[in-house]
Amino acid sequence: MVNTKTVSGESPLVVFVSSVMNNELNEARIIVKNAIEESFFLNSWLFEYTPASSSSVEQTYLQKVREADFVIWLIGSCITEPVEKEILECFGTNRSNLLIFKLPTYKQDNKTEELLTTIGNYARWKKVESIESLVDEIKKSIGDEITKAVRKNHQNNGKSLEDLINSKILYAKENSISHWTSIGLSKDIAENFYNDSSVGVVKPEYLPNTDNQIKILIGEIGSGKTLIAERYYFRELNELQNNSKHPIPVFLKANSASPNLKYAIDIELTEFRDFKNNGITLIIDGLDEISPKYAKRLLEECKTISSVNNKNRVFITSREILNLFKKDEYAEISLLTKRDIGNIFDKIGGTNYQVRQFGTTMNFDRDWNSSIEEAIKRPLFAIMIAKYIVENHGYHSLSIVNIIQDLIRKILIDDGFDSQNENLLIDLAIKLIGKQQRRINENELNLSQIELFNFYRSHFLNIENKFITFKLSLFLEWFACQKLSKDELFLENIINENDNFENWRFTFSLFISTSSFEVASKLLVPLIKKNPAFAGSLISDCLDKLTLTEFFPYTNEQVYDQIMKTFNLWLSVLQTNLSQNIAPVDSLGNLLPFMTELQDQRIKIIWFKENVKIPIEHENISKGLRFALAPDNYISSFGCAVSFKPDAWIWFYSYNFLSEKLQQCLNNKAFKVDNYLESESKNNFLKENYQKMNSEQVLERISHLFLQAIHGYKQIVNSYFTCFKEELRIYSMMPFTIKGNILLNSFNISANSFPIQYYFDILPFSEKSDVNFKLTEEKEIFYNHDVTDQIFLAQRNNLQKLRYDKRFVIQGGTFHIESVNLTNPEQTTQLIYQWLWDDLERISWVHGRYEGNRRTR
């Protein structure tokens, strides 16, 4: 008899059930399994029902997570590491398929709550009243997901490629123009800028290509990163319109792409499903606008996408993120030329003669503030400055911070925002800065309908699919700054409770630049005490670029007191061993006497030597005293024109003075290591100088040099740099094994000079640092790239071992090429100082390259 039973043409959908396997949840797992298998189109996958396999346990269940059509997470009172890995794996591949159910139980532990908080905004979760109601909730949730998928598929049917592209261009154009109008430009001028490709030029060197499939475009706030990304996206859409086989362009904001890039891409590609073999051009804007943790993860996902298909290209925009980008991966945005700035001024000025003339000539006169001269080289600020000149009938002696403040006040008035609405924006900014992705669901804000309506019509905000973000990161930073200014207790708490200050860098800069010396000190004093490395880089990189006033409101005595305060603060956090080397202090570590002079628009500070007996009381120091003393009586004379805010100048001066002295100390090898390092090095130098060594001796000698360098580096840090050691990369990696290749050829064996490729392999805390080099013929490197590739592969695998609390200090660039000369009696010391210089340079305490050829004085 012929079997006429109809069979399904498609295999059933797979539902992966994830939960802790314990007595608390065993019953729920069985109930869910039985409920799923009642449906002919669903199959369940539970770990305890799988057969034995030759694959590792972790490989088996994580692979099934990736392949599953749905993942159900049953939440009990606790979580285990395997369950956490399953949920994160699902979240990293396709979050739309993650369904979460909180079962009736005792309160969840902290780890469960943290994971749920991380993904709660991006995957639906439901609290069920009982185990019995769980079955009904699961069936409804799976049914809803299938229904949505089918209906979305129907909605997209019938659109031609041209229709799809035109709709994308129209939407992107409106979004781009809204950025221009958000800073107060009229719709006509905004469209003019949108159509003018000379503003936000997409240069070939900015873009990915066949040789470099991923490219990161770096620029400071206001430099036009988003504009360039949008122009590149438009260009790629036009290319696709002309060539249906061109890669599909996908434009994503980083805060919507993370933490699930694959899902975000899949959503964008839904309409282009007939072109899935084209490859993609992925454009991600604003990598710096999410937390460093998410930024690193997103970047790794982008690198994977660029490597899986030679048609794929990845373009990312970001401000610079410490230690995250490799040199060959990024390009920096060029600043505007005078001609570019003139073009912008002419567009803004229209028939306004003064602005048009100014835009044509671009002759900066003496009244221009240095912060204006710096800011105007970036498109956003050039537009804001030109707009300010038009509205105020000329330029007045102000800084860029004044102009930002003026712009935001005008937008608040135009939006009809009163002080209560402004406070809502301030609170929103604080919530967003604290979030990993700097966006928030409107349901989390508990706003009334009127408040929500005001948010929707605000020029500051962008609201899409109920997620709220600020249109410009500048707006976010500004309103967060207002919170710091208004709430002293909040300022204190944010410093004491925050371990990741990078999210606050620009906000802190704005706060300091818009505050008096006394108010700015409320931030800088505790910040320097908690993290002098971050405070120093903040002062070095940001503080001198943003200023509020040009007049000089202080007397000579006030300036003297402020300089005294800043130096005493640095001395309190730099331990005695370090301060006696780099600060103007006496043998007891006390600040040496100094005097200040105010000369019109200049300030001079003169630090006197310890043996010069002069009155310390400032009011008794004569201005003429300096001229009565011989030059040898003072150690430093520093003068500076007050063309920027004197409050900022005082902090900037004290930091600069110390970092410059530190730089001199490193070049002169002023920090001593144990005598046995130097004496042993010199003894070996005398024995082996100019003697030809065999390969085994080379290996032994170089290994010994590096082992001594490890001990010496650690000793110097512990002796002099304990205030910085949590921020120093090599110190943070300890213990480690230095692994790599010593490259040999006949010449370097004779000359006793050897190039070395090496990296740091991180060890468990219980082990000791060690050295493990291999001897390799140099020709093997040139003719066989496997050797170098093995080192890079080992280095990449090594990144998985990073200390969890140090990964953003350590990450990136742990591969080195060093030249070691065995005839150099100070080679060990040279290695120590090179490592120390590199570490301090990365936290902005020294600048440039280590000279290293000076002898110790």
Side-chain angles (χ1 to χ4, degrees), residues 246-393:
H246 190 76
I248 308 297
V250 175
F251 186 97
L252 297 170
K253 297 292 289 185
N255 55 19
S256 61
S258 174
N260 193 326
L261 179 59
K262 182 178 181 299
Y263 172 75
I265 292 173
D266 286 346
I267 292 297
E268 291 296 314
L269 292 180
T270 301
E271 299 170 307
F272 293 96
R273 61 191 177 282
D274 295 334
F275 303 91
K276 60 183 179 181
N277 295 324
N278 285 34
I280 65 171
T281 299
L282 176 61
I283 301 168
I284 294 182
D285 183 40
L287 187 69
D288 58 287
E289 295 175 18
I290 58 178
S291 73
K293 174 183 176 181
Y294 276 18
K296 181 177 184 295
R297 177 175 171 179
L298 183 57
L299 184 59
E300 290 301 321
E301 289 180 296
C302 288
K303 290 179 181 179
T304 300
I305 287 172
S306 68
S307 64
V308 296
N309 187 335
N310 60 13
K311 295 180 181 179
N312 290 348
R313 301 286 183 268
V314 178
F315 176 79
I316 299 171
T317 70
S318 177
R319 278 182 275 180
E320 188 169 0
I321 302 177
L322 185 65
N323 310 330
L324 194 58
F325 307 135
K326 295 179 181 177
K327 193 167 185 178
D328 59 346
E329 292 176 340
Y330 68 83
E332 296 185 46
I333 294 182
S334 302
L335 297 176
L336 296 177
T337 65
K338 286 189 175 183
R339 183 174 181 179
D340 297 331
I341 299 169
N343 181 39
I344 289 174
F345 271 62
D346 288 343
K347 280 181 167 52
I348 297 291
T351 58
N352 185 299
Y353 174 76
Q354 183 177 7
V355 176
R356 289 185 61 83
Q357 185 183 48
F358 179 86
T360 303
T361 59
M362 288 309 297
N363 290 323
F364 295 109
D365 61 37
R366 63 182 179 85
D367 293 328
W368 275 75
N369 180 284
S370 60
S371 71
I372 295 288
E373 291 188 29
E374 180 69 22
I376 203 171
K377 300 171 186 174
R378 296 171 179 83
L380 174 64
F381 297 124
I383 291 171
M384 289 168 56
I385 293 166
K387 182 174 177 292
Y388 178 89
I389 291 175
V390 170
E391 293 175 350
N392 292 276
H393 308 291

Side-chain angles (χ1 to χ4, degrees), residues 321-327 533 710 713-714 717 721 723-736 738 758-763 765 769 795 798-799 801-803 805-818 831 834-844:
I321 302 177
L322 185 65
N323 310 330
L324 194 58
F325 307 135
K326 295 179 181 177
K327 193 167 185 178
I710 293 172
Y713 168 87
K714 187 175 182 180
V717 172
F721 296 95
C723 58
F724 296 138
K725 67 181 182 181
E726 295 300 316
E727 308 297 325
L728 302 181
R729 180 176 56 181
I730 292 179
Y731 191 90
S732 297
M733 285 191 291
M734 289 183 169
F736 51 67
I738 298 181
Y758 67 94
Y759 68 98
F760 301 94
D761 187 24
I762 298 174
L763 299 174
F765 283 116
S769 293
Q795 181 195 12
N798 182 48
L799 294 180
K801 305 177 186 177
L802 297 182
R803 318 283 187 224
D805 59 334
K806 294 295 177 189
R807 57 186 56 185
F808 297 110
V809 176
I810 298 172
Q811 67 188 14
T814 57
F815 177 77
H816 294 253
I817 298 178
E818 199 85 53
L831 280 171
Q834 182 65 65
W835 292 345
L836 188 58
W837 181 283
D838 291 344
D839 272 355
L840 291 169
E841 197 273 336
R842 292 170 75 255
I843 61 173
S844 299

Side-chain angles (χ1 to χ4, degrees), residues 138 224 292-293 511 547 608 783 821:
I138 287 176
K293 174 183 176 181
F511 173 76
T547 61
F608 294 98
Y783 297 108
N821 188 340

Side-chain angles (χ1 to χ4, degrees), residues 104 548 573 591 633 713:
L548 183 62
V573 297
L591 197 63
N633 289 330
Y713 168 87

Side-chain angles (χ1 to χ4, degrees), residues 14 43 207 271 321 419 435 439 476 535 579 658 680 740 764 792 803:
V14 176
N43 273 350
L207 303 179
E271 299 170 307
I321 302 177
S419 58
K435 279 189 167 289
R439 69 173 190 167
L476 168 64
S579 65
L658 297 175
E680 184 171 341
F792 278 108
R803 318 283 187 224

